[in-house]
Amino acid sequence: MLAPTALPPASASAAARAGLTFPKGFAWGASTSAYQVEGGATADGRGPSVWDVFSHTSGKTRDGGTGDVAADHYHRSYEDLDLMRDLGLKSYRFSISWPRVLPTGRGTVNAKGLDFYHRLVDGLLARGIIPVITLFHWDTPQALQESGGWENRDCAKWFADYASVVCYSLGDKVQTWLTLNEPKTVVEVGYTAGVHAPGVRDRRVANVAGHHLLLGHGLAVQAFRATGRKGRIGAALNLSPTYPADDSDAARRQTILADGEENRRWLDPVLLGRYPDDWLATQSPDAPVRAAIHDGDLAVIGSKSDLLGVQYYNPAYITATGGRVQKHPTTQASWQEVYPQGLYDLLTRIKRDYGDIPLTITENGMPSVHATDDEDRITLLRDHLTAAHQAIREGVRLEGYHVWSLLDNFEWAEGYTQRWGIVHVDYATQQRTRKASANWYQQVIARNGI
Ligand code: FCB
């Protein structure tokens, strides 16, 4: 639970926010993920993931959108690399498609799949852009799903084996690794609401999958170390600062519980090697997650992380009955709530409660309905960067910022109806066009500030 802060409101004049310089070497970046941009769904031996199956199931995505082609980045990576260079990006966060490298999730490596990522990394390095690789951005190989997926404890081990292959192969060129992207979303949207792949609607099963995801994170950290490669590894967590919706004691109590579910349930195991007691207490005595937590698991999950990826899209306001209300404007993404000060609260809270682990913002952004004239996105990005800057001034070790997203792309269950890119993609022609926000971001990067 956090006290609101006194940052200038989002409506503060541009002048009040102008002239903020970021630390030397700040990693100005952009993010994408494999299934959302690559396309090439069956190219060069790629196997299916749960998202191929889910998106091809009638009624699961808006207008039946799939990632079959997406932004066709698999075939246009050189053009996209030049685009990144022209923007002046210092860092590019992307994910590796597990079934492109291991078509059935384990066993024989698909050399052509791995080669794609070698070429991409070489292209980034040749352009002076730091590669930041996410190992799991939700595309569990379908063959593993058929063996139980993340409900099966073995999946953590399969993930670590895959991590070992990739980290060893690319580890002489790549220095920054992220294990999981947003395990909370997998648990809540993929396994509880069933709106994302694999489309399960069972809270009890979801928490088991959540534990196995965390175990996979820990085993992947250990697998990375075992490769002997130099570099840093950590998780990328979506976090939401929680605030009471009113000043009742009941709302305050519920807010602490909600903070457990939103934040501490992920941060504590990864950074402190334990589950929060109050979160565990919410699990009934016969909850299957209790049996899923074996002796020694938390020590594995708490294996030392070198950095933390922070993804921020919204705060959470909690009512006296534990419900949620929105207090700030939303966007085309109804779950989003625009409250830039929440990012400041979140970053300073991580430092206060978890110490000085280096942080990088791995996602932040919004969908805009404007094709290229996306002034709304510029305002949002600038306000969040202002909040991030204040946190840096107060001693938070924030090393970088990655806007979600570089390109318009496949937005999961929303298909192609939400455009999150700073670069517009015409899906009929695959033509890329910079939006106003891309031009603005280029200037921000060039002057290392807003
Ligand atoms: C995050 C996901 C990312 C993208 C943005 C809008 O939850 O990690 O892939 O969909 O939301």
Side-chain angles (χ1 to χ4, degrees):
M1 186 176 87
L2 293 163
T5 54
L7 278 182
S11 58
S13 72
R17 294 177 301 221
L20 301 177
T21 303
F22 280 70
K24 194 163 174 278
F26 191 74
W28 295 104
S31 272
T32 63
S33 88
Y35 191 69
Q36 293 179 275
V37 298
E38 284 181 1
T42 54
D44 297 332
R46 178 185 178 278
S49 77
V50 292
W51 265 99
D52 293 272
V53 173
F54 190 77
S55 66
H56 278 272
T57 305
S58 162
K60 298 295 185 193
T61 64
R62 194 82 63 184
D63 302 331
T66 75
D68 287 2
V69 179
D72 200 28
H73 172 72
Y74 188 73
H75 299 111
R76 291 166 200 268
S77 56
Y78 287 101
E79 181 185 344
D80 292 337
L81 283 163
D82 285 347
L83 187 66
M84 290 186 235
R85 178 202 56 210
D86 295 347
L87 287 172
L89 289 193
K90 309 284 186 210
S91 180
Y92 176 52
R93 171 188 178 240
F94 62 97
S95 80
I96 291 195
S97 160
W98 183 351
R100 199 179 283 294
V101 174
L102 292 164
T104 57
R106 48 189 162 147
T108 312
V109 171
N110 175 30
K112 283 187 174 171
L114 201 48
D115 282 351
F116 168 71
Y117 297 108
H118 273 279
R119 289 195 300 277
L120 184 60
V121 165
D122 291 344
L124 290 166
L125 296 176
R127 290 163 181 78
I129 303 168
I130 300 164
V132 174
I133 295 185
T134 312
L135 291 163
F136 177 70
H137 202 124
W138 304 352
D139 44 2
T140 311
Q142 178 61 20
L144 299 187
Q145 188 62 30
E146 284 158 20
S147 301
W150 290 104
E151 290 173 49
N152 181 343
R153 185 176 169 90
D154 290 342
C155 200
K157 168 86 173 56
W158 299 330
F159 176 62
D161 290 345
Y162 148 71
S164 177
V165 168
V166 171
C167 292
Y168 183 75
S169 179
L170 289 158
D172 55 341
K173 311 173 192 173
V174 175
Q175 302 288 315
T176 310
W177 298 90
L178 299 161
T179 52
L180 308 177
N181 177 75
E182 297 193 356
K184 181 170 70 183
T185 308
V186 178
V187 165
E188 289 184 356
V189 191
Y191 280 91
T192 306
V195 168
H196 280 184
V200 175
R201 286 200 186 124
D202 186 330
R203 170 51 79 185
R204 287 156 68 88
V205 167
N207 286 333
V208 171
H211 179 68
H212 293 153
L213 280 156
L214 284 171
L215 185 61
H217 157 81
L219 290 173
V221 170
Q222 296 187 346
F224 169 70
R225 307 267 185 242
T227 64
R229 296 298 197 189
K230 294 198 183 62
R232 303 188 301 168
I233 191 161
L237 303 179
N238 55 321
L239 302 168
S240 293
T242 54
Y243 308 94
D246 58 57
D247 56 13
S248 66
D249 285 345
R252 254 188 289 278
R253 276 195 305 276
Q254 291 292 344
T255 301
I256 293 169
L257 275 181
D259 177 52
E261 188 70 47
E262 289 287 336
N263 304 308
R264 290 180 284 113
R265 179 228 176 134
W266 304 105
L267 289 165
D268 285 16
V270 168
L271 299 179
L272 306 175
R274 58 176 167 75
Y275 278 116
D277 291 340
D278 63 340
W279 180 78
L280 268 183
T282 62
Q283 304 303 308
S284 63
D286 66 343
V289 69
R290 291 186 178 276
I293 304 171
H294 294 190
D295 283 351
D297 283 2
L298 271 304
V300 173
I301 297 167
S303 297
K304 186 182 168 301
S305 286
D306 306 300
L307 78 164
L308 177 71
V310 175
Q311 318 205 153
Y312 176 67
Y313 292 101
N314 58 279
Y317 289 88
I318 313 301
T319 67
T321 54
R324 308 242 166 156
V325 288
Q326 285 190 331
K327 295 207 172 218
H328 303 285
T330 184
T331 68
Q332 203 191 358
S334 57
W335 51 269
Q336 189 169 26
E337 190 173 350
V338 181
Y339 183 58
Q341 290 90 329
L343 179 59
Y344 166 86
D345 289 345
L346 178 59
L347 294 171
T348 50
R349 182 267 176 101
I350 294 171
K351 177 180 161 77
R352 194 169 59 240
D353 292 352
Y354 298 93
D356 251 343
I357 184 161
L359 306 177
T360 184
I361 294 170
T362 36
E363 289 187 24
N364 178 235
M366 69 173 283
S368 173
V369 296
H370 303 290
T372 55
D373 193 12
D374 56 343
E375 293 298 326
D376 49 353
R377 179 177 287 116
I378 295 176
T379 301
L380 179 133
L381 298 181
R382 193 178 46 215
D383 289 345
H384 283 81
L385 284 166
T386 302
H389 189 271
Q390 173 148 348
I392 293 171
R393 277 208 309 272
E394 293 178 19
V396 169
R397 273 174 84 184
L398 181 67
E399 298 182 343
Y401 175 91
H402 299 78
V403 60
W404 182 273
S405 176
L406 176 68
L407 302 170
D408 287 340
N409 59 49
F410 173 74
E411 177 50 24
W412 309 114
E414 299 302 328
Y416 293 92
T417 59
Q418 292 180 5
R419 291 179 172 273
W420 289 76
I422 58 172
V423 174
H424 180 270
V425 176
D426 177 337
Y427 295 113
T429 62
Q430 291 297 343
Q431 193 185 329
R432 276 77 165 132
T433 307
R434 283 193 198 192
K435 303 184 189 180
S437 59
N439 294 331
W440 172 83
Y441 198 47
Q442 179 186 30
Q443 289 170 17
V444 168
I445 298 171
R447 38 170 208 264
N448 196 36
I450 47 174

